[in-house]
């Protein structure tokens, strides 16, 4: 039997060229037989882009704004994380077995590793993208606290790995681009973390329209309030404090860390920024995606 200790600071494993945490990589074989339902809703993101935030928003929408119902379980159970696997916890596939339809699902997988059934069933996707600099900073702190990742090393060396796509789930650039491309042929609502921060009510209205539901203005306001950073930070059903410190050590860095746009300015040195910007321009050439770096 695998123990949590066996997962600590293990090297990433490459699957079809994509680096992944080993225990997640091990689920990909069985996950290919996953059968999607047409009424599933997939939340797809590159890590650290606001996955938990939009998951809570969507669960609140699905529960008609009922706060108590949204406290029924930690987010990992309410929104099954398809490729999740960790000793001592049910896998994403196991959680799915007891998840009633209509289901909310979560993944960080790039398209090359996505179970085909999700595409065949034309499952609606809410994709959330966040600017690369804030993702890199958030991911660095996440690597520090979530010990299933390899040791992040210094911020400078982590940033180099991030730019090279040598972090779990691979290249940020490829991820945001390929899901953007997919939105031309597949029902994808492509959202930006920065937009949700700027005007959560407007973005929640977009989600409601996309999932074909309507809620009273009062309920939408309640969702905005309940899913604010301040509220989510103290909510054990979303802040990951219910997980063992062996898996996520919130004393190293909280999961709900800062929740702002532009935190990268406190981490990037002038030299790192000067190296990052031309590399970014090269990787994003020909792509019409635009990100806000500050609000
Ligand atoms: P920071 O580390 O920059 O604070 P994910 O859920 O995809 O792992 O993303 C985690 C990031 O989203 C963290 O960013 C976290 O603080 C931020 N986040 C989570 N809930 C949020 C909210 N309600 N408002 C703003 N940011 C939020």
């Amino acid at each position: 039997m695998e123990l949590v200790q066996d997962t600590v600071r293990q090297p990433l494993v490459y699957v079809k060229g994509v680096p992944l945490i080993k225990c997640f990589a091990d689920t990909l074989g069985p996950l290919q037989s996953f059968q999607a339902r047409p009424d599933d809703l997939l939340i797809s993101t590159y890590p650290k882009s606001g996955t938990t935030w939009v998951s809570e928003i969507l669960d609140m929408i699905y529960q008609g704004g009922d706060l108590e119902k949204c406290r029924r379980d930690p987010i990992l159970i309410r929104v099954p994380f398809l490729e999740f696997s960790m000793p001592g916890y049910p896998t994403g596939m196991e959680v799915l077995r007891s998840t009633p339809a209509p289901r909310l699902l979560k993944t960080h997988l790039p398209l090359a590793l996505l179970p085909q059934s999700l595409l065949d069933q034309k499952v609606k996707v809410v994709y959330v993208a966040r600017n690369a600099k804030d993702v890199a900073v958030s991911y660095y702190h996440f690597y520090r606290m979530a010990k299933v990742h390899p040791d992040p090393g210094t911020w400078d060396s982590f940033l180099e790995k991030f730019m090279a796509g040598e972090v779990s789930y691979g290249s940020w650039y490829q991820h945001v681009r390929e899901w953007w491309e997919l939105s031309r042929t597949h029902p994808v609502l492509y959202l930006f973390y920065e937009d949700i921060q700027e005007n959560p009510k407007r973005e929640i209205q977009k989600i409601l329209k996309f999932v074909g539901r309507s809620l009273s203005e009062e309920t939408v306001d309640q969702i905005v309030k309940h899913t604010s950073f301040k509220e989510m930070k103290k909510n054990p059903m979303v802040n990951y404090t219910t997980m063992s410190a062996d898996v996520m050590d919130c004393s190293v860095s909280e999961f709900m860390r800062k929740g702002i746009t532009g935190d990268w300015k406190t981490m990037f040195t002038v030299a790192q920024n000067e190296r990052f910007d031309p590399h970014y321009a090269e990787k994003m050439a020909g792509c019409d995606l635009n990100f806000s770096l500050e609000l």
Side-chain angles (χ1 to χ4, degrees), residues 6-23:
D6 301 334
T7 67
V8 172
R9 300 296 182 211
Q10 292 298 306
L12 299 176
V13 171
Y14 280 73
V15 183
K16 292 192 187 167
V18 181
L20 289 171
I21 294 167
K22 180 167 183 311
C23 38

Side-chain angles (χ1 to χ4, degrees), residues 48-53 130 138 193 227 229 255 257-259:
K48 312 321 292 173
S49 302
T51 331
T52 317
W53 192 6
R130 185 184 192 187
S138 181
Y193 176 98
T227 58
F229 183 72
F255 184 89
R257 198 181 57 89
K258 286 198 181 172

Side-chain angles (χ1 to χ4, degrees), residues 76-290:
L76 210 51
I77 305 294
R78 285 181 283 140
V79 180
F81 180 8
L82 292 180
E83 65 271 20
F84 180 83
S85 168
M86 199 67 61
Y89 294 88
T91 63
M93 292 284 273
E94 283 164 352
V95 174
L96 269 172
R97 280 188 216 129
S98 48
T99 306
R103 308 180 296 188
L104 294 169
L105 314 170
K106 160 185 166 181
T107 191
H108 294 310
L109 291 172
L111 289 177
L113 301 177
L114 193 73
Q116 183 61 33
S117 175
L118 288 158
L119 299 171
D120 292 346
Q121 294 292 333
K122 288 272 173 210
V123 166
K124 285 186 183 175
V125 179
V126 173
Y127 187 87
V128 190
R130 185 184 192 187
N131 80 75
K133 290 181 181 177
D134 281 329
V135 168
V137 171
S138 181
Y139 215 175
Y140 171 66
H141 291 292
F142 188 56
Y143 254 64
R144 290 173 53 232
M145 66 89 81
K147 295 174 199 157
V148 290
H149 297 98
D151 191 298
T154 63
W155 158 241
D156 196 60
S157 66
F158 182 82
L159 183 60
E160 287 298 321
K161 285 193 210 101
F162 178 85
M163 289 163 65
E166 290 165 6
V167 291
S168 185
Y169 292 103
S171 165
W172 174 91
Y173 310 92
Q174 186 174 335
H175 207 283
V176 297
R177 291 186 69 148
E178 68 183 21
W179 283 87
W180 180 239
E181 283 298 316
L182 184 74
S183 69
R184 297 181 207 283
T185 53
H186 190 95
V188 179
L189 177 66
Y190 202 99
L191 300 176
F192 296 90
Y193 176 98
E194 296 79 12
D195 288 350
I196 311 175
Q197 197 149 51
E198 185 190 60
N199 191 338
K201 194 166 175 176
R202 178 191 63 206
E203 300 304 301
I204 291 170
Q205 299 284 15
K206 276 190 203 166
I207 297 174
L208 279 168
K209 189 165 174 231
F210 181 70
V211 300
R213 293 181 184 233
S214 64
L215 292 172
S216 69
E217 180 146 10
E218 196 189 341
T219 306
V220 174
D221 287 338
Q222 199 178 342
I223 296 177
V224 170
K225 183 165 173 266
H226 174 73
T227 58
S228 69
F229 183 72
K230 201 169 134 241
E231 289 297 317
M232 285 186 55
K233 190 177 173 72
K234 63 184 183 203
N235 179 355
M237 292 300 115
V238 288
N239 67 14
Y240 286 96
T241 52
T242 55
M243 290 197 95
S244 140
D246 292 333
V247 180
M248 287 197 194
D249 191 345
C250 294
S251 72
V252 173
S253 176
E254 287 180 84
F255 184 89
M256 295 291 165
R257 198 181 57 89
K258 286 198 181 172
I260 56 170
T261 296
D263 188 40
W264 63 272
K265 290 180 187 169
T266 65
M267 286 290 279
F268 276 66
T269 63
V270 171
Q272 284 165 351
N273 209 32
E274 281 175 354
R275 176 158 153 61
F276 191 91
D277 285 347
H279 176 263
Y280 182 93
E282 195 184 299
K283 299 294 271 184
M284 297 299 277
C287 177
D288 54 350
L289 275 174
N290 286 310

